[in-house]
Amino acid sequence: MFDLSSMTEYVPAFVEGFIVTAQVSIVSIIGSFLIGVIVALMRVSTNKALQFISLCYVDLFRNIPFIVLIFFSFYGLPEIGVYIDAFWTGCLTLSVAVGAYVAETLRAGIINIDKGIIEASKSFGLSKFRIYQKVIMPIALTTSVRPLGSVFINLILTTSILSAITLNELTGASKIIASTTFRPFEVYVFLVIFYGILTFILSGIIAVWHRHLNKYNGVA
Amino acid sequence: MIEIQNLHKDFGDLKVLKGVDLSIKPGEVVSILGGSGSGKSTMMRCINGLESITKGKIIVDDFDVSKSNDLREVRKRCSTVFQQFDLYPHLRVIDNITLAPIAVLGQSKEEANDKAMELLNSVALGDRASAYPSQLSGGQKQRIGICRALAMNPSYLLLDEVTSSLDPEMTAEVLDILKILSKQGITMISVTHEIEFAREISDRIVFLDEGRILKDLPKDDFFSESGGKSDPRIARFLSKMGNV
Ligand SMILES: Nc1ncnc2c1ncn2[C@@H]1O[C@H](COP(=O)(O)OP(=O)(O)OP(=O)(O)O)[C@@H](O)[C@H]1O
Ligand SMILES: [Mg+2]
């Protein structure tokens, strides 16, 4: 019999898992965004070496299954003396992996900017830094923000894989509850709801950000 | 003073400028005429370093355009108004105008805003300060483009066919503003296909042909039968432009 009330006593455990998932997601979204910005700037720079390094980075991390990466960081790195706990291993690996996707998304936004606008800012003597800060990045983001939203929602869903490295985030916590209650159906209904809450919140934030950035062209 | 000495510019195998010598004194209004592809835009872009120089030299008030330390100073002194306007689409009109004065000249926000409002009022757009460029007509955009250039208090104003993206009515509203400016002592270098306008505002006319200066004459000489028009290429160009 389907009986959600059987889950009442496990709500705190769910919430705990939910909080871990939310924390990993927030830290990794910020981390991958920062990495993505830097790598995107390297991708579009005129320096051949930076272009090459960033291209390798993007190709590498977009072509390795995340579960392989996370096993490598969690079980492989300690072999060479690098010890990080499961939470931070998860955050770092996610940031590095998703950073590659963020970089490509931003790059697409950057190369689509009308060259004349960038030249105009150059012609008035703005420094490279100011041009990126005040002109290129804001315009690139207006077109990149939606695809970025998809990348970040994917990131949230990918956090479930961290249960494979002993992190009791939402999926990990649910597995434990399912195996003690023998009620997988109810457990996974809860799981779906919690992921839904997270992605729903993120979609909302992205929509508001998109509207804010695009208010100039009435796309909203 | 802008001094262009033996300027050459190649794009790969294509030689676009083939030894241009030109000097422009403070306060002068100079129009650059010439057929399509003669290198007018390329020359203008070399002046503020948007295009690298293949050979030769450009000196703006003692600053050498090809030295990266000097380039910033050159760009502070030369402001460009662009054919396609090239306003910053994500910034309001007022911020379009104040971006460079704040970031490059180090003006305070209030100072830059005051100056921008003054300029906007002078082109009858004071009420559009908080609009976005996409909400403006072409003529309005170009008037903002002019304000954005003037906000830098430039010694030199570079204009490259600033009305050729506009319909005749809007062209007139922009040209009127430029006519007023030309009488206020700012040095203007203007590439244009508006011959009447060039004739009205210029002190000098420079005619470019296939990457070389064919004639560089005071306005009245240029338009006289014995002066500029004595050259068949110039006569042909002028008659093609509907000016005989
Ligand atoms: N970035 C570039 N790369 C290659 N060729 C170029 C480039 N910019 C300009 N050219 C070429 O240089 C020549 C001169 O171009 P330029 O734009 O200076 O002409 P123009 O006199 O301004 O012509 P118009 O009146 O049509 O604007 C043209 O043949 C053009 O195709
Ligand atoms: Mg041109």
Side-chain angles (χ1 to χ4, degrees), chain B residues 150-161:
Chain B
L150 293 176
M152 293 293 285
N153 287 320
S155 313
Y156 309 96
L157 194 60
L158 309 182
L159 310 162
D160 187 358
E161 298 195 34

Side-chain angles (χ1 to χ4, degrees), chain A residues 119 122 125 134 215-216, chain B residues 45 72 75 89-90 132 134:
Chain A
E119 283 192 340
K122 251 196 218 171
K134 298 284 191 184
K215 59 178 185 263
Y216 69 81
Chain B
R45 292 166 56 77
R72 200 174 153 85
R75 286 177 170 169
H90 61 301
Y132 286 101
S134 63

Side-chain angles (χ1 to χ4, degrees), chain B residues 158-170:
Chain B
L158 309 182
L159 310 162
D160 187 358
E161 298 195 34
V162 296
T163 58
S164 53
S165 307
L166 300 174
D167 60 34
E169 196 181 327
M170 293 176 177

Side-chain angles (χ1 to χ4, degrees), chain A residues 114 116-117 119-127 130 134-135 138-139 215-217, chain B residues 45 48 50 72 75 80 82 86-90 100 103-104 132 134 148-149 152:
Chain A
D114 185 343
I117 294 165
E119 283 192 340
S121 57
K122 251 196 218 171
S123 80
F124 291 111
L126 268 73
S127 63
R130 285 271 176 258
K134 298 284 191 184
V135 179
I139 300 176
K215 59 178 185 263
Y216 69 81
N217 54 20
Chain B
R45 292 166 56 77
N48 60 10
L50 288 180
R72 200 174 153 85
R75 286 177 170 169
T80 306
F82 295 88
D86 293 327
L87 300 178
Y88 312 120
H90 61 301
V104 180
Y132 286 101
S134 63
R148 177 175 68 169
M152 293 293 285

